Amino acid sequence: MQRTLSIVKPDGVDKNLIGEVIKRFEKAGLKVVALKMAHLTKKQAEGFYAVHKARPFFDSLTTFMCAGPIVPMVLEGNDAIKKVRDIMGATNPKDAAPGTIRKDLADSIESNIVHGSDAPETAVFEIGYFFNATEILK
Ligand code: ADP
Ligand code: MG
């Protein structure tokens, strides 16, 4: 069993795709064990994406991530981190495989609908960024 953090990004919420994203995760056998809606400040978005601080797209990415509400969630299941990444597709929708969220629904490399943790250590940090232990189902 593994846990990972996913987020429906502001573009996904704006396009009424919260249910569509969750449906794809649930269909793959992943369990939603925590869920909320949030609207990040610029500082909070910068803290979440601190690993990308040196990247040229950091300012644009963090501005985008606080432009509207988001839906962070914790997903649990076998190999959850990889499963979520596979369902999301490549960062750039142009490179994403058919049938993935980003290929089917995303507009651009930045506005790509969904986030998913990329490793066990990042999953722990990212889950803790949004949820207390008491907010996650056992
Ligand atoms: P992923 O979300 O697939 O793990 P990264 O961790 O590399 O991708 O990047 C984090 C987020 O930053 C991406 O999901 C996307 O929103 C944005 N991003 C990544 N690369 C670029 C880029 N070249 N230009 C603009 N935004 C980008
Ligand atoms: Mg990433």
Side-chain angles (χ1 to χ4, degrees):
M1 274 297 169
Q2 197 174 50
R3 283 176 178 174
T4 188
L5 184 89
S6 181
I7 303 175
V8 183
K9 295 183 179 185
D11 58 328
V13 174
D14 186 56
K15 290 167 130 181
N16 290 352
L17 294 172
I18 299 169
E20 177 66 29
V21 169
I22 294 175
K23 186 183 79 182
R24 289 178 185 224
F25 293 148
E26 288 186 329
K27 263 189 154 178
L30 293 159
K31 207 84 197 161
V32 178
V33 293
L35 180 73
K36 65 171 65 163
M37 190 167 243
H39 193 155
L40 298 182
T41 63
K42 178 86 159 126
K43 283 269 173 294
Q44 288 170 329
E46 289 170 356
F48 181 75
Y49 277 120
V51 291
H52 292 313
K53 214 176 187 111
R55 302 287 193 90
F57 58 81
F58 182 70
D59 185 58
S60 175
L61 168 64
T62 52
T63 297
F64 159 63
M65 284 300 288
C66 63
I70 60 172
V71 178
M73 70 194 82
V74 180
L75 297 158
E76 189 175 78
N78 284 322
D79 216 8
I81 293 171
K82 183 177 185 297
K83 260 188 196 159
V84 166
R85 298 285 310 185
D86 288 349
I87 294 164
M88 283 163 50
T91 308
N92 190 341
K94 290 188 183 122
D95 302 330
T100 61
I101 291 171
R102 285 165 166 176
K103 182 65 166 193
D104 292 351
L105 307 168
D107 289 335
S108 72
I109 191 167
E110 179 175 88
S111 297
N112 58 9
I113 306 283
V114 67
H115 169 85
S117 307
D118 64 3
E121 315 80 62
T122 47
V124 169
F125 167 77
E126 292 178 355
I127 290 168
Y129 204 81
F130 287 102
F131 298 97
N132 301 133
T134 54
E135 295 173 312
I136 304 169
L137 296 188
K138 299 236 162 52

mmCIF file of all heavy atoms in Angstrom, residues 49 51-52 85 88 91 102 115-118 126, ligand 2:
data_model
loop_
_atom_site.group_PDB
_atom_site.id
_atom_site.type_symbol
_atom_site.label_atom_id
_atom_site.label_comp_id
_atom_site.label_asym_id
_atom_site.label_seq_id
_atom_site.Cartn_x
_atom_site.Cartn_y
_atom_site.Cartn_z
ATOM 1 N N TYR A 49 6.088 24.200 -4.431
ATOM 2 C CA TYR A 49 6.937 23.916 -5.602
ATOM 3 C C TYR A 49 8.388 24.359 -5.381
ATOM 4 O O TYR A 49 9.098 24.636 -6.352
ATOM 5 C CB TYR A 49 6.355 24.592 -6.844
ATOM 6 C CG TYR A 49 5.259 23.797 -7.527
ATOM 7 C CD1 TYR A 49 3.975 24.312 -7.680
ATOM 8 C CD2 TYR A 49 5.521 22.522 -8.056
ATOM 9 C CE1 TYR A 49 2.973 23.585 -8.330
ATOM 10 C CE2 TYR A 49 4.531 21.798 -8.705
ATOM 11 C CZ TYR A 49 3.266 22.334 -8.845
ATOM 12 O OH TYR A 49 2.285 21.612 -9.490
ATOM 13 N N VAL A 51 11.075 22.883 -4.909
ATOM 14 C CA VAL A 51 12.099 22.144 -5.686
ATOM 15 C C VAL A 51 12.329 22.770 -7.064
ATOM 16 O O VAL A 51 13.367 22.536 -7.690
ATOM 17 C CB VAL A 51 11.749 20.647 -5.902
ATOM 18 C CG1 VAL A 51 11.818 19.878 -4.599
ATOM 19 C CG2 VAL A 51 10.414 20.460 -6.573
ATOM 20 N N HIS A 52 11.353 23.530 -7.544
ATOM 21 C CA HIS A 52 11.468 24.127 -8.887
ATOM 22 C C HIS A 52 11.899 25.596 -8.848
ATOM 23 O O HIS A 52 11.828 26.286 -9.859
ATOM 24 C CB HIS A 52 10.127 24.024 -9.630
ATOM 25 C CG HIS A 52 9.745 22.620 -9.990
ATOM 26 N ND1 HIS A 52 10.622 21.742 -10.574
ATOM 27 C CD2 HIS A 52 8.573 21.939 -9.850
ATOM 28 C CE1 HIS A 52 10.006 20.583 -10.781
ATOM 29 N NE2 HIS A 52 8.766 20.665 -10.345
ATOM 30 N N ARG A 85 0.765 8.801 -11.723
ATOM 31 C CA ARG A 85 1.592 9.414 -12.779
ATOM 32 C C ARG A 85 1.185 8.863 -14.155
ATOM 33 O O ARG A 85 1.140 9.605 -15.137
ATOM 34 C CB ARG A 85 3.079 9.136 -12.528
ATOM 35 C CG ARG A 85 3.648 9.701 -11.236
ATOM 36 C CD ARG A 85 3.893 11.173 -11.207
ATOM 37 N NE ARG A 85 4.643 11.698 -12.324
ATOM 38 C CZ ARG A 85 5.030 12.981 -12.407
ATOM 39 N NH1 ARG A 85 4.745 13.843 -11.438
ATOM 40 N NH2 ARG A 85 5.684 13.418 -13.448
ATOM 41 N N MET A 88 -2.107 10.415 -15.178
ATOM 42 C CA MET A 88 -1.922 11.835 -15.522
ATOM 43 C C MET A 88 -1.366 12.008 -16.922
ATOM 44 O O MET A 88 -1.785 12.884 -17.668
ATOM 45 C CB MET A 88 -0.898 12.471 -14.559
ATOM 46 C CG MET A 88 -1.419 12.785 -13.188
ATOM 47 S SD MET A 88 -0.068 13.061 -11.999
ATOM 48 C CE MET A 88 0.998 14.220 -12.809
ATOM 49 N N THR A 91 4.143 15.551 -18.587
ATOM 50 C CA THR A 91 3.955 16.950 -18.182
ATOM 51 C C THR A 91 3.377 17.790 -19.325
ATOM 52 O O THR A 91 2.429 18.559 -19.125
ATOM 53 C CB THR A 91 5.312 17.558 -17.745
ATOM 54 O OG1 THR A 91 5.902 16.689 -16.783
ATOM 55 C CG2 THR A 91 5.123 18.942 -17.154
ATOM 56 N N ARG A 102 -3.859 14.363 -19.119
ATOM 57 C CA ARG A 102 -3.251 15.529 -19.767
ATOM 58 C C ARG A 102 -3.449 15.513 -21.277
ATOM 59 O O ARG A 102 -3.721 16.552 -21.878
ATOM 60 C CB ARG A 102 -1.779 15.614 -19.371
ATOM 61 C CG ARG A 102 -1.628 16.135 -17.921
ATOM 62 C CD ARG A 102 -0.258 15.895 -17.366
ATOM 63 N NE ARG A 102 -0.008 16.655 -16.140
ATOM 64 C CZ ARG A 102 1.105 16.539 -15.423
ATOM 65 N NH1 ARG A 102 2.048 15.699 -15.790
ATOM 66 N NH2 ARG A 102 1.265 17.266 -14.330
ATOM 67 N N HIS A 115 -1.770 17.440 -10.712
ATOM 68 C CA HIS A 115 -0.454 17.185 -10.111
ATOM 69 C C HIS A 115 -0.447 15.793 -9.499
ATOM 70 O O HIS A 115 -1.472 15.317 -9.005
ATOM 71 C CB HIS A 115 -0.173 18.211 -8.996
ATOM 72 C CG HIS A 115 1.033 17.854 -8.174
ATOM 73 N ND1 HIS A 115 2.312 18.193 -8.559
ATOM 74 C CD2 HIS A 115 1.156 17.140 -7.022
ATOM 75 C CE1 HIS A 115 3.170 17.707 -7.665
ATOM 76 N NE2 HIS A 115 2.492 17.070 -6.726
ATOM 77 N N GLY A 116 0.725 15.158 -9.479
ATOM 78 C CA GLY A 116 0.902 13.901 -8.760
ATOM 79 C C GLY A 116 2.320 13.813 -8.233
ATOM 80 O O GLY A 116 3.273 14.159 -8.945
ATOM 81 N N SER A 117 2.477 13.374 -6.993
ATOM 82 C CA SER A 117 3.814 13.221 -6.396
ATOM 83 C C SER A 117 4.662 12.302 -7.275
ATOM 84 O O SER A 117 4.143 11.373 -7.895
ATOM 85 C CB SER A 117 3.718 12.599 -5.005
ATOM 86 O OG SER A 117 2.826 13.320 -4.182
ATOM 87 N N ASP A 118 5.992 12.558 -7.287
ATOM 88 C CA ASP A 118 6.849 11.775 -8.185
ATOM 89 C C ASP A 118 7.711 10.724 -7.490
ATOM 90 O O ASP A 118 8.427 9.988 -8.150
ATOM 91 C CB ASP A 118 7.713 12.708 -9.046
ATOM 92 C CG ASP A 118 8.695 13.545 -8.237
ATOM 93 O OD1 ASP A 118 8.758 13.366 -6.995
ATOM 94 O OD2 ASP A 118 9.395 14.365 -8.847
ATOM 95 N N GLU A 126 4.479 16.347 0.347
ATOM 96 C CA GLU A 126 3.319 16.988 -0.294
ATOM 97 C C GLU A 126 2.014 16.670 0.436
ATOM 98 O O GLU A 126 1.141 17.535 0.564
ATOM 99 C CB GLU A 126 3.252 16.560 -1.758
ATOM 100 C CG GLU A 126 4.412 17.142 -2.564
ATOM 101 C CD GLU A 126 4.431 16.708 -4.026
ATOM 102 O OE1 GLU A 126 3.588 15.862 -4.423
ATOM 103 O OE2 GLU A 126 5.283 17.225 -4.772
HETATM 104 MG MG MG B 2 6.620 17.063 -10.555
#
